[in-house]
Amino acid sequence: MELRQILDGVESLEMVMPEFQREYVWPIEDAKQLLISMFKGYPTGCLLFWETETPPEIKNKAVDTNKLGLTKVILDGQQRLTTLYMLIRGEIPPYYTIEDILQDPRHLYFNVLSGDFQYYQKKLMENNPLWHSVTKCFDENDVDSFDIAEKHNAINEDVDFKETAKAIGKNLTKLRAIEKMTYPILTVPKTANIDGAIDVFDKVNSKGTKLTDAELVLTHVTGGWPQARRIMKKKMLEMKDNGFDFSLDFLTRCMVVALTKSALYKKNSKLKYDKFTKEDYKGAWSKVEKALDYLIPILKQDGLISSTNDLSTNNALVPIIAYLVENDNRFTGNLKYQFLYWMFLALIWSRYSGQTDARLDKDIYIINNEEDIIANLVQEIEDSRGRLEVKEADMEGRTAGHPIYKMLYIVTKANKAVDWSNGGAIYGTIGDYYSIQSHHIFPQAFLYRNGYQGDNHIDKKKVNEIANRAFITRDTNYSISDKAPEIYLSKVKDEYPNALEKQFIPEDPKLWLAENYDAFLKERREKIASEINNFLKSLKNHQADSDAIIVDKPSKSWSDFLNKGEDNFTEFKSSLRYCLREEKPMNYIEHSILKTINAFLNSEGGTLIIGADDEGNVLGLDNDYNSFSKKGKDGFLLHFDNMVINALGKEQQADINIKFEQVENKDFAVVEVSSSIKPVFLSANGKKEFFVRHAASSQAYDISEAYEYINKHWN
């Protein structure tokens, strides 16, 4: 089909955009390169349509409801099609609104003589007859080769008019021929339903603008609940007005957690779209929305978090939302302060800077399964970082990109710091002139005048260290400019005696001299570290509010645990080595046990239950007990220890704990496995194997996969 016919189809609503498609996200450079490729006659892929008599929810309601017969639903190529529609027709296609166009390419210009494409530049293109809007070039009445040649000839009398007009005409004809190009179209037949169409969309996505895992999940959610994207975006705008700027990816993650009690996308065994109804999606979103409405005021009032700008990552909120979703959207007792304590630790120590999905999933698991939630969440951080306390050395050479910088702003607000010009609080200021800025206590220009080199990497980091930052209003920052600290700090101290102390600034005038800058940094780092640790301690030990609800939560039984079923951190095995089918011990049963332990060691840890079937029904351990020369639990433990030592190594025993429990007088073994601090290989049948947990199962990695995983997981 010719491109112009396709564009006509878009205009007439014969071709429509489903609600589950995202917005127009192409960078303008991609739009330019698409047109350059088509101008040169290069292939640019194909379009994929789904022909259906019952189209799904359509973006912007851009569908002809009276239309009979088949409607073409755009599944793949929407970024290219939207680009071409805007550049050739000069308008936004009917399935989008101006808010959906994140980067508008319609200021692309064409040099009709050279054939060059560039975005509008006033200096280069104003009063230059050779540069014209691409959109206008497609209109023969608007851009004429002879008119342009005459204007160009008037400025450049030595050029050949005929040759110039000929070259311009050739380029314009070549450009306009794009509309008449035949564009390849693939079609999903009308026999496909919405789920089948989305599956095709998933499969072809990798060939277009890559969608994130969250965007693919949201595509499926919107397939089942067409209004989901619009409703979530409306909530996003509402929260943004309140200072909290959350992405669709973040909200989708929270939806997945509410639906499955897991933070994973692709590897989530419970994320089965054919099992979810529209009401399931709406119910999950309602819980997430209520959790956010409850949490944001707490973050502002009790956490002193003015906006998401105060957070180094929004991921630290996901486990808190997971808790609220499962607990009627309320904190009981002093849990509000306990969660804030954990959240700040997670931010300071970059809990989610690497292995984001796996660590989020582990923390969600703790939320839903552990008795002492906060202690276990905090332990995860301490295990990975080695300590919780902030030290002076943690800030040495660190600049504003480090999480401790944002933490400095929080404790500065907690200390009720005041501005240095008007004495007003720096928290909650209103108006442009009173907006808070990050001020260099030793101004950059001052330090560069006093021996520090702007082109020296070490000097530059030292000049911009966290310990050289304070928070004051914009007006005050401008008035200080590059004055020497010994001059303006003494004035601040005289006018507002506590102002420097409230921002943890050393008050010894000797430390305000340029030659003592290193000593100033060291002392202030120590003060900041002490304040952060005290702030965290105050949250940890904070008593419950007088009106807080106190609830005695019933302890979870092993029956409850088994009824929850398997997940990424839980696996059930019928026996340690006894094969129920063959009615005798078998090596492959033992290998199955060992590969699960190996996978837990190489991932985020987990619990292996031996003596229960896949449904969590306890079978007992009598068959195993009777298979050993030394009967009973002692023989079981001895054999288990030997299995671990021979296959995984003696040093791994420190990460593996085994105990026996009972349900209805039937024994089962509980094997708790901690995440290993180094890669662990399984020795079996004379070879080395490497397993990792994925989608509630233990998956084998080959050498190249293991190498890549090891580099990501432990580095």
Side-chain angles (χ1 to χ4, degrees):
M1 184 181 292
E2 287 187 358
L3 180 58
R4 60 183 174 182
Q5 294 174 303
I6 298 173
L7 299 182
D8 287 342
V10 170
E11 187 175 2
S12 66
L13 306 184
E14 179 188 347
M15 298 166 184
V16 296
M17 185 74 68
E19 186 66 60
F20 61 72
Q21 288 271 27
R22 59 182 168 175
E23 298 73 28
Y24 179 76
V25 297
W26 257 22
I28 56 174
E29 181 61 25
D30 286 6
K32 183 177 83 170
Q33 292 303 324
L34 172 66
L35 207 64
I36 290 173
S37 294
M38 296 188 75
F39 181 72
K40 293 179 177 180
Y42 296 164
T44 56
C46 62
L47 302 175
L48 178 66
F49 292 150
W50 169 37
E51 292 186 337
T52 178
E53 294 175 342
T54 55
E57 188 87 3
I58 300 303
K59 274 189 180 297
N60 204 27
K61 303 294 183 183
V63 62
D64 183 356
T65 54
N66 298 317
K67 187 179 185 301
L68 298 177
L70 298 175
T71 297
K72 292 183 174 68
V73 179
I74 304 165
L75 291 183
D76 188 53
Q78 60 118 331
Q79 303 290 325
R80 282 169 286 148
L81 187 53
T82 302
T83 297
L84 293 170
Y85 192 94
M86 288 195 291
L87 289 176
I88 294 174
R89 299 293 166 92
E91 299 174 352
I92 294 172
Y95 48 73
Y96 279 142
T97 63
I98 187 65
E99 289 78 16
D100 295 320
I101 308 300
L102 304 185
Q103 294 195 54
D104 194 329
R106 287 178 290 176
H107 57 294
L108 183 63
Y109 271 59
F110 180 57
N111 187 307
V112 294
L113 183 58
S114 68
D116 190 22
F117 292 88
Q118 295 291 340
Y119 284 100
Y120 183 73
Q121 302 170 47
K122 184 175 181 179
K123 186 176 180 180
L124 174 65
M125 299 173 185
E126 190 177 41
N127 301 320
N128 187 331
L130 298 179
W131 285 99
H132 290 266
S133 162
V134 164
T135 301
K136 289 185 177 181
C137 287
F138 280 98
D139 186 344
E140 295 182 13
N141 296 321
D142 207 332
V143 179
D144 179 77
S145 57
F146 285 99
D147 288 343
I148 297 171
E150 284 180 354
K151 291 176 182 177
H152 182 63
N153 190 244
I155 301 171
N156 304 275
E157 296 180 359
D158 56 334
V159 301
D160 187 311
F161 171 78
K162 288 184 178 180
E163 290 298 320
T164 300
K166 182 179 178 182
I168 292 172
K170 183 178 179 181
N171 281 333
L172 284 172
T173 300
K174 188 176 178 182
L175 179 67
R176 290 164 181 163
I178 290 175
E179 260 198 302
K180 300 175 184 178
M181 285 182 179
T182 299
Y183 213 96
I185 292 178
L186 299 177
T187 303
V188 176
K190 66 178 182 179
T191 52
N193 58 17
I194 180 66
D195 290 327
I198 291 175
D199 284 341
V200 173
F201 173 80
D202 278 3
K203 289 180 174 65
V204 302
N205 166 64
S206 60
K207 298 176 182 177
T209 302
K210 183 67 176 173
L211 272 69
T212 64
D213 289 342
E215 286 172 329
L216 286 173
V217 169
L218 185 55
T219 296
H220 282 280
V221 170
T222 312
W225 177 29
Q227 297 79 24
R229 183 184 288 269
R230 286 206 304 272
I231 289 172
M232 291 167 73
K233 286 180 68 177
K234 182 179 178 182
K235 185 65 179 179
M236 282 169 56
L237 292 174
E238 175 191 318
M239 292 186 290
K240 188 174 182 179
D241 288 341
N242 201 21
F244 285 76
D245 191 3
F246 296 120
S247 66
L248 274 175
D249 280 13
F250 171 80
L251 296 180
T252 301
R253 173 90 73 178
C254 294
M255 279 271 287
V256 169
V257 169
L259 284 165
T260 69
K261 296 185 180 180
S262 170
L264 300 179
Y265 294 128
K266 286 181 178 177
K267 301 165 187 174
N268 189 339
S269 61
K270 296 179 181 177
L271 195 57
K272 297 177 179 177
Y273 304 107
D274 58 337
K275 303 294 184 184
F276 296 127
T277 65
K278 179 178 181 179
E279 294 309 311
D280 291 330
Y281 292 133
K282 290 175 70 175
W285 170 248
S286 177
K287 290 179 181 179
V288 170
E289 187 176 26
K290 288 176 182 176
L292 287 165
D293 288 342
Y294 177 82
L295 179 59
I296 287 174
I298 290 174
L299 294 175
K300 286 192 162 192
Q301 296 162 17
D302 301 292
L304 302 177
I305 295 170
S306 310
S307 71
T308 43
N309 289 331
D310 292 344
L311 302 171
S312 52
T313 173
N314 294 336
N315 283 325
L317 302 181
V318 175
I320 305 177
I321 291 168
Y323 174 84
L324 292 172
V325 160
E326 295 299 321
N327 291 274
D328 299 323
N329 290 307
R330 65 180 184 180
F331 292 121
T332 57
N334 69 342
L335 262 179
K336 172 173 69 174
Y337 301 104
Q338 293 285 296
F339 264 111
L340 288 173
Y341 165 67
W342 165 81
M343 180 194 72
F344 283 122
L345 284 174
L347 292 169
I348 289 169
W349 298 116
S350 302
R351 168 70 177 158
Y352 305 115
S353 63
Q355 309 164 53
T356 304
D357 287 5
R359 287 182 172 177
L360 273 174
D361 199 44
K362 180 62 181 288
D363 292 346
I364 301 303
Y365 176 83
I366 289 171
I367 294 285
N368 289 301
N369 292 279
E370 299 293 350
E371 293 287 335
D372 195 339
I373 293 171
I374 302 301
N376 281 280
L377 288 174
V378 170
Q379 191 63 52
E380 288 292 319
I381 297 172
E382 188 169 12
D383 285 347
S384 63
R385 303 301 303 200
R387 59 181 164 86
L388 301 175
E389 184 184 24
V390 177
K391 296 185 177 181
E392 176 264 336
D394 295 325
M395 286 169 274
E396 188 171 357
R398 303 292 189 181
T399 58
H402 194 275
I404 290 180
Y405 171 74
K406 291 183 183 290
M407 197 65 212
L408 171 60
Y409 187 40
I410 298 296
V411 295
T412 300
K413 288 187 284 187
N415 209 35
K416 296 181 171 57
V418 299
D419 184 56
W420 297 347
S421 285
N422 55 42
I426 67 162
Y427 185 34
T429 56
I430 299 174
D432 194 26
Y433 282 96
Y434 294 102
S435 61
I436 302 303
Q437 293 192 346
S438 176
H439 164 69
H440 287 75
I441 302 168
F442 280 65
Q444 291 173 303
F446 170 80
L447 288 172
Y448 291 141
R449 288 198 305 268
N450 283 272
Y452 289 85
Q453 304 297 318
D455 56 356
N456 182 294
H457 178 66
I458 295 175
D459 280 1
K460 196 171 183 179
K461 286 176 70 174
K462 191 174 288 187
V463 166
N464 293 291
E465 249 200 46
I466 292 171
N468 191 30
R469 299 297 188 100
F471 301 98
I472 55 180
T473 60
R474 191 183 80 168
D475 209 23
T476 303
N477 199 16
Y478 285 173
S479 67
I480 291 174
S481 185
D482 62 348
K483 293 175 184 173
E486 67 264 30
I487 295 175
Y488 82 84
L489 287 179
S490 59
K491 184 179 178 182
V492 171
K493 187 175 180 180
D494 289 342
E495 294 183 1
Y496 305 101
N498 297 321
L500 299 184
E501 181 185 357
K502 285 180 177 293
Q503 296 224 34
F504 333 118
I505 295 173
E507 296 186 68
D508 182 354
K510 293 179 182 177
L511 294 177
W512 301 343
L513 302 175
E515 58 266 30
N516 295 327
Y517 180 56
D518 282 350
F520 170 88
L521 289 178
K522 182 172 176 55
E523 184 167 330
R524 188 157 190 257
R525 287 195 295 262
E526 290 171 350
K527 286 177 176 288
I528 292 170
S530 176
E531 288 296 331
I532 291 175
N533 291 326
N534 288 338
F535 176 77
L536 293 172
K537 186 177 179 180
S538 70
L539 287 173
K540 181 182 180 182
N541 299 328
H542 204 294
Q543 298 299 309
D545 294 338
S546 58
D547 59 347
I549 301 168
I550 307 298
V551 175
D552 289 329
K553 228 178 169 182
S555 59
K556 297 175 182 176
S557 68
W558 280 109
S559 293
D560 294 333
F561 182 86
L562 292 163
N563 287 335
K564 284 195 312 84
E566 296 177 310
D567 55 34
N568 224 36
F569 303 97
T570 310
E571 183 149 335
F572 303 149
K573 295 293 183 184
S574 299
S575 66
L576 179 67
R577 69 172 189 163
Y578 191 85
C579 177
L580 298 176
R581 185 177 64 252
E582 299 291 335
E583 297 185 344
K584 63 179 180 180
M586 299 289 286
N587 289 336
Y588 83 90
I589 301 290
E590 292 187 3
H591 183 261
S592 177
I593 295 287
L594 290 166
K595 77 176 188 180
T596 299
I597 295 173
N598 181 243
F600 282 146
L601 287 166
N602 288 326
S603 304
E604 297 296 319
T607 302
L608 169 63
I609 302 294
I610 305 175
D613 65 17
D614 291 343
E615 302 302 319
N617 301 308
V618 177
L619 304 176
L621 297 172
D622 289 347
N623 289 324
D624 278 327
Y625 289 163
N626 293 326
S627 72
F628 305 118
S629 56
K630 187 175 184 179
K631 309 294 184 186
K633 293 179 182 178
D634 289 344
F636 186 103
L637 290 174
L638 180 62
H639 189 78
F640 178 82
D641 284 345
N642 287 332
M643 282 171 54
V644 169
I645 292 170
N646 293 332
L648 299 171
K650 191 172 184 178
E651 66 274 16
Q652 300 309 322
Q653 287 183 300
D655 292 322
I656 302 167
N657 180 56
I658 183 170
K659 62 181 179 179
F660 294 98
E661 299 287 349
Q662 268 195 354
V663 168
E664 297 178 354
N665 296 318
K666 293 180 181 179
D667 287 352
F668 60 95
V670 180
V671 183
E672 298 283 0
V673 184
S674 301
S675 178
S676 174
I677 61 172
K678 62 181 182 179
V680 180
F681 286 84
L682 170 63
S683 298
N685 301 317
K687 62 179 182 178
K688 296 286 188 181
E689 297 177 321
F690 189 86
F691 292 90
V692 174
R693 290 294 285 181
H694 284 318
S697 65
S698 303
Q699 295 187 11
Y701 276 22
D702 62 27
I703 293 298
S704 61
E705 290 171 330
Y707 179 78
E708 183 179 355
Y709 179 83
I710 288 167
N711 279 332
K712 288 181 179 179
H713 188 74
W714 280 279
N715 291 337

